[in-house]
Amino acid sequence: MRNEFKQMRTKFGSTFYNIRQIFSKKLAKSSKVVNKMKALLSDCFPDLKSELSVAKTVDGVLDVVKRKCSIVDVHPLEVLAVQFKVKEAEDIIKEHKETAKEFCKSVTVSLSKDETLQSILTRYLLCETITFVLNWDPDKTTLQDVNDVLLELELIQKYEIKVVRTHSGRSVVVNCYCPAVYTGSLIIAVLDKIKYYKRED
């Protein structure tokens, strides 16, 4: 299974490399464009504001975006491509997302033990670590199953949850991080969802 992760990481690196080349051709290398990129990302991902403040070039901004992405989630990069109408980049991102989805469908939690989904190992100073414990069989649960349940709970996009690693044992343990600014509202949202599903039972 390590080979599959290696291939996915290579795919991620290739995606970013190709988009760097496209951005360097399509976007003017001016401080005005860089500032627009930084403003957009700061509004969409407030936890990146401090890192973006020191980025001076398009490449510098993309370096920050890369740290925000995971090998199976390039949403921050997609935000830039869509907003700045870089069609070639959108096509590459679409292909990456399709590959990532197939990867997630094929990899079980038990086989992804000790692997990280982060693109770059880093410390998130303005983020909180969150752990979800799912009473599922790790051998029968794929990474896509984990993504699906978080999407169903409406947690990933709204609170910018990023799945970092999954562990297996008698259940599925999902380690994530979330911008600290959202932690309080996230806890309330999860508790509300738990109450809702208990009523449904």
Side-chain angles (χ1 to χ4, degrees):
M1 188 52 62
R2 290 185 183 278
N3 189 50
E4 282 83 349
F5 271 87
K6 186 183 294 185
Q7 290 176 354
M8 194 64 227
R9 291 185 200 288
T10 301
K11 175 66 176 175
F12 175 85
S14 175
T15 294
F16 249 89
Y17 172 80
N18 289 330
I19 287 179
R20 279 185 195 276
Q21 305 309 305
I22 292 169
F23 272 32
S24 67
K25 292 178 183 177
K26 299 289 184 180
L27 300 180
K29 296 179 181 179
S30 67
S31 58
K32 186 176 181 180
V33 170
V34 172
N35 287 337
K36 284 183 177 180
M37 293 173 71
K38 289 163 65 173
L40 170 65
L41 291 167
S42 294
D43 284 339
C44 295
F45 311 102
D47 56 308
L48 295 182
K49 199 165 187 177
S50 61
E51 287 186 76
L52 288 167
S53 66
V54 296
K56 305 298 182 185
T57 64
V58 171
D59 260 354
V61 172
L62 289 177
D63 285 339
V64 175
V65 170
K66 189 174 184 179
R67 288 192 286 273
K68 179 70 174 175
C69 293
S70 78
I71 62 174
V72 295
D73 181 3
V74 291
H75 177 63
L77 187 61
E78 186 176 22
V79 167
L80 280 178
V82 171
Q83 184 66 32
F84 287 90
K85 297 180 174 60
V86 186
K87 182 65 169 59
E88 291 176 59
E90 289 183 58
D91 292 341
I92 291 173
I93 290 168
K94 182 180 179 181
E95 181 191 349
H96 183 90
K97 288 169 67 176
E98 290 170 354
T99 302
K101 188 167 186 177
E102 290 305 311
F103 169 80
C104 287
K105 285 180 179 178
S106 67
V107 177
T108 63
V109 171
S110 60
L111 291 177
S112 63
K113 183 181 179 182
D114 298 327
E115 296 286 354
T116 179
L117 297 175
Q118 284 178 271
S119 57
I120 301 174
L121 294 177
T122 185
R123 185 181 177 190
Y124 296 91
L125 298 177
L126 299 177
C127 291
E128 298 284 353
T129 300
I130 302 164
T131 300
F132 294 97
V133 180
L134 307 174
N135 189 26
W136 293 345
D137 183 344
D139 293 323
K140 297 179 180 178
T141 303
T142 66
L143 294 178
Q144 188 60 44
D145 293 329
V146 173
N147 284 336
D148 287 344
V149 75
L150 293 178
L151 283 170
E152 185 178 338
L153 292 173
E154 300 175 349
L155 299 179
I156 290 183
Q157 298 299 340
K158 189 172 182 181
Y159 299 103
E160 295 179 30
I161 286 181
K162 185 74 64 182
V163 177
V164 176
R165 190 189 299 270
T166 58
H167 302 277
S168 61
R170 293 184 179 178
S171 57
V172 176
V173 180
V174 186
N175 289 340
C176 313
Y177 74 82
C178 171
V181 66
Y182 295 137
T183 305
S185 55
L186 171 63
I187 292 171
I188 293 172
V190 171
L191 291 175
D192 285 344
K193 290 289 184 181
I194 290 172
K195 290 177 184 176
Y196 171 78
Y197 285 116
K198 280 185 176 179
R199 287 199 301 270
E200 288 292 301
D201 291 341

